[in-house]
Amino acid sequence: MELGISTFVETTPDVNTGITMSHAQRLREVVEEIVLADQVGLDVYGIGEHHRPDFAASSPAVVLTAAAAMTTKIRLTSAVTILSSADPVRVFQDFATLDGLSNGRAEIMVGRGSFLESFPLFGCNLNDYEELFDEKLDLLLHIQKSEKVNWSGKHRAAIHDLGIFPRPVQDPLPVWIGSAGSPESAIRAGKMGLPFVLAIIGGVKPLDYASQAELYKNAAAQAGHDVSRLTIASHSHGFVAKDQKQAIETFFPSTFARTNVRAKEKGAPPYTRADYDAACSPEGALYVGDPETVAQKIIDLRKHVGVTRFMLHMPHGTMPHEEVMEAIQLFGTEVAPRVREEVAHWEKNNCHNS
C-alpha cells in the first residue's frame, strides 16, 4: 500500500487575516513539503496543474523538478496534467527530464481537469473537449512506447519518423488516468491497461467507489490485460493532527471558505458546517482526524474498494505552512506505518484464504 500527498498549491486569502501570499512564497513552501514527505517515508507526492490566480502551479513538472534534487526516494507525479490543452510531446519531454534528474521517480497523471481556463489560454476549443483528450492521450502513449514516432491526428501537426528526447530512466515512463468518477473514464483506463486514479471528493461516500473499481477491472480483463498487475489509486481531501477534535477544527475554516468559493462559481448550494461534519464521519469523503482515525479510513478503502495507493490532498485552500508540515510529519510517521502493517496482514490472510 503506497501513501502520499497531493496538492493544488493554492494561494487563497488567509481565513484569519485576509492576506493572500505570493505565488513565489507558496511554491517555495510546497518544495519544503515535498522534501519533508520524502524524509518521513511517504511514497509519492502529486501536484495539480491550474491556470488561475488562486493556484501557483501552472507547471507541475517544474515544481517537482525543484524537489527532485533534494529528495531520494519519493515518487513525483502530476495530479493532474491537463492533457487536453497541452502538447503531449512537451509533456513527455518535461517528465522524462524530471525522471532523469530524479533517477527514475517521475510519473504523469493525465486528465481533462475540472477547470477550463487552460483551453482558451492555449487556443483549444471547448467544443472539442472529449476529442482533444482522446487524441492527445493516443499521441502521448505512442511517445511513451517508442523513441521514434509516426503519428497523425486532427488537432495537432503530424509527426513523421521523428525522435522524442530525452528518454526517461523508466521504461515505460508511467502514465496514469485520473478521473472524478465517471464510468466512462474507468472503462477507458481499463481497456487501455493504464493505472487509474479516483478523485474521491465532495459529498460522496468513498466506499461507493467500489463499483468504479469493478468497471475498471472488468474492462481491463475483457481487453486481455493482467488485472493483477494494474493499480488503482485515490486521492481525497484530508488533514491529520494529534487530536481528533483539533484536526477537525483546524481543517474546517479553509475548507469551508474554499468549498463555498467553488460552490458559488458552479451555482451549487452553499457548503455548511453540517456538510463538513458529515464528510468527517467514518463514511464521509474527508480523511480528517487523529492518526488512528485517518489510518482506519484508508484501510477500509483498501479492503472495500481495492485501492493500492492513497494520496491525502492537503491543504484545502490556504493553511499555515507549519500546520501542513506537522500534518505531513504525522501522516508519514504515524498514519502510514499503521496502514502498511494492517494492510500487509490483511493481504497475507486474504491471499492465503483465497
Side-chain angles (χ1 to χ4, degrees):
M1 184 74 182
E2 292 184 319
L3 285 303
I5 304 290
S6 61
T7 183
F8 290 161
V9 198
E10 294 172 68
T11 54
T12 56
D14 183 282
V15 292
N16 295 313
T17 66
I19 296 172
T20 301
M21 75 172 70
S22 69
H23 289 152
Q25 179 184 343
R26 182 66 191 117
L27 287 166
R28 292 191 296 268
E29 286 183 356
V30 82
V31 171
E32 292 178 7
E33 290 162 15
I34 298 170
V35 171
L36 177 60
D38 182 59
Q39 292 171 347
V40 299
L42 291 174
D43 300 294
V44 59
Y45 201 104
I47 291 180
E49 173 191 349
H50 294 88
H51 301 270
R52 294 166 48 115
D54 44 355
F55 297 98
S58 62
S59 181
V62 174
V63 184
L64 295 167
T65 298
M70 293 183 279
T71 55
T72 58
K73 294 182 179 180
I74 197 164
R75 297 191 67 77
L76 303 166
T77 183
S78 54
V80 299
T81 293
I82 308 172
L83 190 61
S84 306
S85 57
D87 183 345
V89 173
R90 179 51 91 187
V91 169
F92 186 88
Q93 290 175 327
D94 286 347
F95 281 88
T97 301
L98 170 61
D99 202 52
L101 291 169
S102 66
N103 195 25
R105 293 184 282 128
E107 299 179 0
I108 309 171
M109 186 191 303
V110 299
R112 293 167 177 78
S114 58
F115 295 84
L116 303 176
E117 288 81 6
S118 65
F119 285 80
L121 186 63
F122 297 112
C124 298
N125 192 329
L126 276 172
N127 293 329
D128 301 323
Y129 186 80
E130 295 289 343
E131 198 173 71
L132 279 167
F133 181 79
D134 292 343
E135 182 176 291
K136 292 188 177 186
L137 178 59
D138 180 64
L139 174 54
L140 181 64
L141 296 178
H142 271 76
I143 301 168
Q144 178 201 43
K145 292 171 184 173
S146 175
E147 177 181 302
K148 286 281 185 78
V149 174
N150 283 284
W151 179 91
S152 63
K154 178 180 176 182
H155 298 283
R156 189 200 186 280
I159 300 175
H160 300 295
D161 198 33
L162 296 177
I164 310 297
F165 307 104
R167 301 310 295 179
V169 173
Q170 300 175 90
D171 184 18
L173 179 64
V175 174
W176 294 66
I177 298 287
S179 170
S182 76
E184 294 78 16
S185 294
I187 294 168
R188 178 189 291 107
K191 286 181 177 178
M192 302 180 87
L194 296 174
F196 184 49
V197 188
L198 286 163
I200 303 179
I201 54 178
V204 299
K205 293 181 179 179
L207 300 193
D208 288 347
Y209 276 80
S211 60
Q212 297 285 324
E214 282 303 306
L215 284 173
Y216 169 70
K217 292 176 182 177
N218 290 340
Q222 290 171 11
H225 300 291
D226 183 353
V227 177
S228 68
R229 298 176 63 86
L230 298 180
T231 306
I232 303 176
S234 68
H235 90 116
S236 296
H237 294 117
F239 185 76
V240 189
K242 293 180 180 178
D243 175 77
Q244 178 75 9
K245 189 174 188 299
Q246 176 192 354
I248 290 172
E249 295 306 322
T250 301
F251 196 59
F252 173 70
S254 62
T255 298
F256 178 78
R258 185 65 186 150
T259 307
N260 271 312
V261 167
R262 290 291 292 133
K264 187 175 182 180
E265 288 177 350
K266 296 187 294 184
Y271 188 70
T272 68
R273 178 62 195 240
D275 295 327
Y276 176 78
D277 289 338
C280 290
S281 71
E283 299 80 25
L286 291 179
Y287 286 69
V288 178
D290 58 46
E292 181 60 39
T293 298
V294 174
Q296 190 56 55
K297 288 187 76 167
I298 297 170
I299 291 164
D300 289 343
L301 194 66
R302 168 69 188 102
K303 292 180 177 179
H304 299 289
V305 178
V307 302
T308 53
R309 173 186 284 186
F310 176 85
M311 300 177 75
L312 186 73
H313 188 97
M314 68 172 180
H316 190 199
T318 294
M319 296 181 68
H321 181 47
E322 59 272 15
E323 292 180 354
V324 177
M325 294 287 274
E326 183 178 356
I328 292 171
Q329 180 83 29
L330 289 169
F331 192 61
T333 60
E334 297 195 28
V335 175
R338 284 178 167 92
V339 173
R340 290 171 183 146
E341 181 179 1
E342 174 63 24
V343 166
H345 178 73
W346 175 80
E347 286 178 342
K348 182 180 179 180
N349 289 338
N350 196 48
C351 290
H352 177 74
N353 292 335
S354 60

